[in-house]
Amino acid sequence: MLTLIEKIIFILLALVAAGFTVHGFKTIIDSVRKGRPAPELKNIPASLIKAGVMILFQQTIFKARKVLSAIHLGLFFGLITYAFVNLVDVLEGFIPGFELIYGGKHLAFAFPPVIVNAFNLIADVMSGALLFSITVFLVRRFIVKDKRLEYRDNVLLNPKIKAGGQARDSLTVGVFVIMHVAARLLGQAYRLGDGADPFMPIASFLNGMFGVSQTGVHVAWWVSICWVLYILPYITRSKHTHFTIGPVNLGLAKQNPRGLLDPAAKVDPGAKFLHDLSWKRVLDSYACVQCNRCQDVCPMNFAEGAPLSPSALEVNKRYLIKEATFGSHPDRLLIPLTETVISAEAVWSCTTCHACVSICPVGNEPMADIIDIRRRLLIDGAEIDSGVQNALQSLATNGNWMSKGKRLRGRWAKEMEFPVKNATEEPVEHLWFVGDTASFDERVIPNTKMVARIFNQGGLDFGIMYQSESNSGNDVRRVGEEGLFEQLVEQNIEAFGKAQFKQIVTTDPHSFNTLKNEYPQFGGKFEVKHYTVTLLKLIEEGKLTVKNKLSNYKVTFHDPCYLGRYNGGFTAPRKLLELLGVEFVEMPRNCENSFCCGAGGGQIWMGKVAPGERPAENRIKEALTTFESNTGDKTQLFIVTCPKDMVMYSDAVKTTGSEGKIEVRDIIQLVAEAVGLEMPLEAEAVVS
């Protein structure tokens, strides 16, 4: 079809496009390699294949926004189809007589018609799917102006983003898809001199409108292919880098347990500048889809005064790198991340709930960036919240964050009507790691005592470490105080060494997480269970008997981040509630998609909080809305399995004016009622 001159021009243009594309990818690779080492990855080929399968079936996309994700299928599979379509188009241009219309009957050489017809039908239908999908997304961004694609005014943004850089990128690619696909369809339509081809319905329809034209075939071919030659190098310099880097990034995603943080660097720990981050965190910025799904689920993004957006963090990183590599501002990389990527206030807003990481379709970890930035801020002596400062000082001095003397940790146990063993003095099967809130907070201690009574009634051989126990360090590490975390780990492992036990049980999901996932790094390899698993086992083995079915309660359950999303502990609490006989109603956000109470990552220590609705308040409102759709006269309960949740949600019930409408209870309270626990006369009234 093409003349010799046209072929030469095309080859020259293709070489130029290839050169710019290679340069773009080389720049990306060079930038990523400047990042710090990341934890070693194993069996990378298998991981990449697994990621490829996940991407092919769009498994990560369908975690949220189901309707838009379904529409995205048309875009995704359409682009994959066009990778083959463009190859065929080039062959049609270079090989005389290479035309696949009408089943290939005009081909100069034989091709099975069934294969040709199948290709034509797929190409034609996917062309329509592409045009439909891209139109929906352009309408969504530029006409409907979906608020989920925007950022609040108090979020730090690169000036080019504020000036509409993302929108221009989207428009460029949108126009490319429309022009490229439309030109290709017209080119095929102009070929149909023998009338409609049943395997090319859209092209046949266009042929009925525009007729046959060899000049049109030429022009359409050049318009279609030239767009490809332009867009390939453009992708390496735009937000659409995720087309190619996203699948790779997912294949190179973290292999360690979710609850195990990447360790701090030995030299200059933490991140002050971009390339202080690990190479994987740098790669994240290129993989980012800029879809804002992470922002959708961020609990602090619901607090209107908090300036945190995980999406903005990744997008800002991408623009910072682009300015330093493809632009003329390499000095931008020498400006602290808290001035270019994320504000210090936003850094300290993160609850480390892992929601942003779990929802990301390409395996990004903005939370990991935030923790590394916190590490460096602490080392550099940056000003931090007074509440956090006081908590860290108390943890260093007393082993707990509540400014209580170590000897007071086991006071509640000495008030029990039966002896609670000291696991450092006599052997036990179950070492109960109680945690700070359950040991010291007067609002939670009644539940702590109830756990002890239930363990005792179930014949569980358990003990605690009394004053030898220190804070597990989970939140200390996530605040960025790596040195203090290691100090606490050392203290606890020393205490564990004095005790004889078979497994650890804990009522605190934060302690559960770090004992299970992070202590093994320091030689502390133990079997660790959450108390819901232990309670369920006692009932299933008949050591506790449900005497009273709690059919008078309508309950919903909140999945703690560090039990559920981090460690997959979804089953035991729900199985317990089922055995107790309550009417269970699931909140819309549950299990993997559960919402955060707002206490994690040191937030419970904060002396100053952002104005606006708090995460716990938002969650209580969600629970009430859930109950309203299931009317009845039963007592409505909000069930928790975390001491911090007990505190956060009890306060939220008051601040939302929901007293009398819903009660917050620990699951142990329901277990105690169901098994007919005999309470001593002097037993305290629990928080309700």
Side-chain angles (χ1 to χ4, degrees):
M1 180 185 76
L2 298 181
T3 65
L4 179 61
I5 295 298
E6 285 179 307
K7 290 178 181 179
I8 293 173
I9 292 173
F10 172 80
I11 291 172
L12 291 175
L13 289 175
L15 289 173
V16 171
F20 277 108
T21 303
V22 170
H23 173 264
F25 281 115
K26 181 180 183 302
T27 302
I28 292 172
I29 293 170
D30 290 344
S31 179
V32 170
R33 291 180 65 184
K34 291 178 183 177
R36 287 185 170 180
E40 182 181 359
L41 297 174
K42 300 177 181 178
N43 203 0
I44 293 177
S47 296
L48 290 171
I49 292 173
K50 181 181 178 181
V53 172
M54 293 174 69
I55 292 292
L56 181 62
F57 291 99
Q58 296 285 274
Q59 293 174 348
T60 58
I61 297 292
F62 275 92
K63 291 178 181 179
R65 302 179 186 174
K66 306 296 185 184
V67 174
L68 285 173
S69 296
I71 295 172
H72 187 271
L73 284 176
L75 187 64
F76 176 75
F77 286 113
L79 291 173
I80 290 178
T81 300
Y82 259 69
F84 297 98
V85 167
N86 291 329
L87 176 60
V88 169
D89 288 348
V90 171
L91 293 176
E92 286 183 336
F94 273 74
I95 301 176
F98 192 95
E99 282 191 348
L100 299 187
I101 56 174
Y102 304 122
K105 69 179 183 179
H106 296 309
L107 277 174
F109 44 89
F111 245 142
V114 64
I115 295 178
V116 176
N117 286 332
F119 173 82
N120 285 340
L121 181 62
I122 293 172
D124 195 88
V125 171
M126 293 314 300
S127 295
L130 260 175
L131 290 174
F132 171 77
S133 300
I134 199 66
T135 300
V136 170
F137 288 119
L138 288 174
V139 168
R140 176 186 176 227
R141 180 177 285 275
F142 294 104
I143 298 177
V144 176
K145 296 184 178 179
D146 192 335
K147 295 294 184 184
R148 291 176 295 183
L149 297 175
E150 299 177 359
Y151 303 100
R152 287 204 302 268
D153 292 338
N154 61 349
V155 173
L156 177 64
L157 286 177
N158 185 288
K160 291 185 178 179
I161 301 174
K162 288 186 176 182
Q166 286 179 290
R168 282 192 296 275
D169 271 350
S170 295
L171 184 61
T172 298
V173 172
V175 170
F176 153 70
V177 172
I178 291 174
M179 293 293 291
H180 175 52
V181 175
R184 203 269 171 179
L185 280 172
L186 273 174
Q188 296 301 96
Y190 285 136
R191 297 173 188 270
L192 299 176
D194 296 341
D197 183 334
F199 294 97
M200 301 171 65
I202 300 177
S204 296
F205 172 77
L206 293 174
N207 172 259
M209 296 176 62
F210 298 102
V212 179
S213 170
Q214 286 304 310
T215 301
V217 171
H218 259 72
V219 173
W221 189 93
W222 275 106
V223 170
S224 176
I225 296 300
C226 281
W227 266 111
V228 175
L229 298 181
Y230 168 76
I231 210 67
L232 288 177
Y234 178 80
I235 283 175
T236 65
R237 292 157 171 81
S238 75
K239 78 188 222 29
H240 295 87
T241 312
H242 74 267
F243 287 174
T244 51
I245 303 299
V248 175
N249 194 61
L250 188 62
L252 300 178
K254 178 177 180 175
Q255 296 178 345
N256 290 329
R258 286 183 176 183
L260 172 59
L261 281 182
D262 292 352
K266 296 300 181 183
V267 180
D268 294 330
K272 184 173 185 178
F273 306 109
L274 182 86
H275 286 115
D276 289 335
L277 297 168
S278 74
W279 65 265
K280 181 59 175 60
R281 301 286 82 78
V282 179
L283 188 65
D284 283 353
S285 61
Y286 288 104
C288 181
V289 183
Q290 302 184 17
C291 60
N292 285 15
R293 292 177 184 226
C294 54
Q295 179 175 279
D296 284 354
V297 298
C298 177
M300 296 312 292
N301 200 257
F302 281 80
E304 296 177 1
L308 175 59
S309 166
S311 171
L313 164 62
E314 295 295 352
V315 177
N316 284 334
K317 283 163 57 182
R318 178 71 186 89
Y319 272 80
L320 178 64
I321 296 172
K322 183 178 179 181
E323 290 169 353
T325 53
F326 294 112
S328 56
H329 304 283
D331 56 312
R332 294 279 288 163
L333 294 178
L334 301 179
I335 302 176
L337 293 171
T338 50
E339 298 177 28
T340 56
V341 165
I342 182 172
S343 67
E345 184 181 356
V347 166
W348 293 111
S349 296
C350 179
T351 67
T352 68
C353 69
H354 204 271
C356 62
V357 182
S358 298
I359 201 69
C360 181
V362 291
N364 284 357
E365 291 190 75
M367 188 194 77
D369 291 22
I370 289 173
I371 292 173
D372 254 340
I373 294 171
R374 286 179 173 182
R375 286 167 169 164
R376 179 57 66 87
L377 287 174
L378 288 177
I379 289 174
D380 289 347
E383 183 179 354
I384 62 174
D385 180 89
S386 59
V388 174
Q389 184 65 52
N390 292 336
L392 294 177
Q393 290 175 349
S394 177
L395 283 158
T397 304
N398 305 308
N400 66 78
W401 61 271
M402 306 183 80
S403 299
K404 303 287 187 180
K406 292 183 179 180
R407 292 184 178 275
L408 297 177
R409 182 177 285 276
R411 184 178 63 179
W412 66 267
K414 296 177 181 178
E415 297 171 352
M416 299 299 294
E417 60 277 8
F418 56 86
V420 176
K421 291 182 180 179
N422 187 331
T424 63
E425 296 177 357
E426 55 183 315
V428 296
E429 288 189 15
H430 298 82
L431 171 60
W432 180 10
F433 194 94
V434 186
D436 290 2
T437 305
S439 296
F440 296 110
D441 196 309
E442 295 297 334
R443 296 167 293 181
V444 181
I445 285 176
N447 290 334
T448 304
K449 291 183 176 181
M450 201 172 292
V451 172
R453 292 187 178 106
I454 289 293
F455 282 174
N456 183 63
Q457 183 168 316
L460 195 74
D461 181 22
F462 76 97
I464 64 175
M465 294 195 298
Y466 288 86
Q467 68 188 55
S468 296
E469 179 186 312
S470 296
N471 183 284
S472 67
N474 184 82
D475 297 308
V476 173
R477 193 176 208 190
R478 281 144 187 84
V479 161
E481 241 299 359
E482 192 75 11
L484 179 55
F485 167 71
E486 294 182 5
Q487 174 185 320
L488 293 169
V489 171
E490 183 179 341
Q491 292 172 1
N492 279 318
I493 289 183
E494 182 180 352
F496 290 146
K498 298 176 182 177
Q500 297 182 47
F501 58 92
K502 293 183 179 179
Q503 69 174 222
I504 296 175
V505 60
T506 177
T507 40
D508 175 28
H510 297 246
S511 299
F512 170 75
N513 176 75
T514 200
L515 291 171
K516 176 176 179 285
N517 296 310
E518 296 184 321
Y519 273 50
Q521 282 189 321
F522 301 88
K525 298 181 179 180
F526 314 106
E527 183 181 359
V528 187
K529 303 291 184 183
H530 187 252
Y531 76 121
T532 52
V533 174
T534 304
L535 292 172
L536 180 60
K537 185 177 181 182
L538 289 175
I539 293 176
E540 290 181 334
E541 291 180 349
K543 295 178 181 178
L544 287 174
T545 303
V546 176
K547 301 175 182 178
N548 310 307
K549 288 289 186 178
L550 307 181
S551 57
N552 58 317
Y553 293 138
K554 180 180 291 183
V555 312
T556 193
F557 174 68
H558 169 72
D559 291 280
C561 300
Y562 278 94
L563 175 64
R565 189 178 298 110
Y566 271 100
N567 291 289
F570 306 122
T571 304
R574 287 172 172 79
K575 184 65 175 176
L576 269 176
L577 291 172
E578 178 185 340
L579 294 175
L580 299 181
V582 301
E583 180 184 346
F584 178 62
V585 183
E586 196 79 81
M587 284 184 281
R589 293 178 292 187
N590 61 77
C591 295
E592 184 75 15
N593 297 318
S594 181
F595 199 54
C596 176
C597 75
Q603 295 304 305
I604 199 170
W605 303 335
M606 290 285 178
K608 179 183 178 182
V609 296
E613 185 177 68
R614 299 183 185 183
E617 295 170 335
N618 182 278
R619 188 66 157 161
I620 289 296
K621 291 178 181 178
E622 179 183 5
L624 287 170
T625 302
T626 302
F627 284 137
E628 285 174 3
S629 62
N630 296 269
T631 57
D633 57 358
K634 298 181 180 181
T635 303
Q636 298 180 160
L637 303 180
F638 186 97
I639 303 303
V640 299
T641 52
C642 171
K644 291 185 178 71
D645 285 342
M646 191 72 195
V647 173
M648 299 297 288
Y649 288 118
S650 295
D651 286 346
V653 167
K654 297 174 183 176
T655 56
T656 57
S658 302
E659 294 172 291
K661 300 177 184 178
I662 190 170
E663 297 178 22
V664 179
R665 294 192 191 178
D666 191 292
I667 202 168
I668 194 63
Q669 295 172 256
L670 298 192
V671 172
E673 184 176 347
V675 303
L677 176 66
E678 296 183 5
M679 300 285 287
L681 294 177
E682 68 276 12
E684 305 86 349
V686 296
V687 177
S688 63

